[in-house]
Amino acid sequence: MPELVFFSGTMDCGKSTLALQIAHNRSARGLEGLIFTRDDRAGEGKLSSRLGLVTDAVEAGPGFDLYGHVVDRLQRGGRADYVIADEAQFLAPEQVDQLARVVDDLEMDVYAFGITTDFRTRLFPGSQRLIELADRVETLQVEALCWCGARATHNARTVGGVMVVEGEQVMVGDVAHQPDEIGYEVLCRRHHRKRMTGATARAGALSPDVLPVGSA
């Protein structure tokens, strides 16, 4: 039976890489997919991996009808055997409903990939709706690591290397950024709670000892 599957995890856990791998494997078997994305780091209409892999995709911006797009493609004589939706956390809840309708009415598998929570540790609306509707929710097993070496479970937004917890939910940035730019970093819960990024940890290590060190 066709399924709506939500692959979730933090940044750097290989979501886009897996999306590209699924597309490759099915293409090698003669299947043709339709790929949607939203606000990818490589630009509009692209699905890219941090490993450097990239492919064309359909940009699913605000108000875009994903179900209608699939139906229109089929009515025009096009083919679609499955659907991939990357950066699915940015989709509106009604767009996630459209993906579920693709599964139920058009009997296609839909594979959605996205971050579960934002930099404030709150669910993205798109991810929340996917959790509510998906036939399966898969947590990716490639563990992203905090700067301390522990398993990263939270996404942090930084400005000039300093973690922030206020602001718009969606702002374009990346893990490879200039010191004074908006960036993102994955942290363990302990260091997210303490707002301690890799940059602030290095700064702390370079600071003078807070307690006097006496001579022997």
Side-chain angles (χ1 to χ4, degrees):
M1 294 292 292
E3 289 184 306
L4 171 58
V5 186
F6 179 36
F7 295 92
S8 69
T10 63
M11 297 181 302
D12 294 344
C13 71
K15 296 181 298 301
S16 297
T17 302
L18 179 58
L20 289 163
Q21 185 69 56
I22 286 177
H24 171 77
N25 290 352
R26 279 152 182 73
S27 177
R29 296 295 179 266
L31 300 177
E32 188 170 336
L34 185 55
I35 301 175
F36 295 109
T37 190
R38 173 81 176 271
D39 294 337
D40 188 275
R41 68 183 72 85
E44 184 173 337
K46 298 292 182 182
L47 189 166
S48 68
S49 164
R50 298 193 194 281
L51 298 181
L53 305 173
V54 62
T55 191
D56 291 330
V58 177
E59 187 75 15
F64 184 87
D65 186 344
L66 287 84
Y67 177 81
H69 185 88
V70 178
V71 169
D72 183 66
R73 174 169 171 154
L74 297 175
Q75 289 178 339
R76 291 174 180 270
R79 180 180 171 187
D81 300 305
Y82 62 93
V83 169
I84 287 174
D86 196 33
E87 305 292 356
Q89 72 273 6
F90 297 143
L91 297 177
E94 55 268 24
Q95 290 175 313
V96 175
D97 290 348
Q98 293 161 10
L99 291 177
R101 191 178 177 192
V102 169
V103 176
D104 297 338
D105 294 0
L106 304 180
E107 298 186 342
M108 292 183 195
D109 285 317
V110 173
Y111 307 99
F113 300 81
I115 297 170
T116 308
T117 57
D118 64 15
F119 70 103
R120 302 166 300 182
T121 70
R122 297 174 184 170
L123 285 169
F124 282 98
S127 299
Q128 178 178 334
R129 192 62 177 147
L130 278 163
I131 292 170
E132 293 166 349
L133 292 182
D135 297 293
R136 285 190 291 129
V137 177
E138 301 282 353
T139 301
L140 296 189
Q141 298 305 306
V142 177
E143 291 188 352
L145 299 178
C146 177
W147 60 264
C148 70
R151 177 172 176 263
T153 54
H154 291 64
N155 304 298
R157 178 184 293 170
T158 62
V159 178
V162 178
M163 180 175 158
V164 296
V165 294
E166 295 181 354
E168 296 181 18
Q169 186 174 55
V170 179
M171 292 183 71
V172 177
D174 202 354
V175 293
H177 59 89
Q178 297 301 316
D180 58 343
E181 294 179 346
I182 295 172
Y184 290 92
E185 183 176 346
V186 288
L187 299 172
C188 64
R189 185 183 63 234
R190 179 164 66 103
H191 287 128
H192 189 281
R193 182 172 53 82
K194 293 183 176 182
R195 303 187 188 182
M196 186 178 291
T197 66
T200 56
R202 286 190 293 272
L206 296 174
S207 299
D209 293 331
V210 295
L211 294 177
V213 179
S215 58

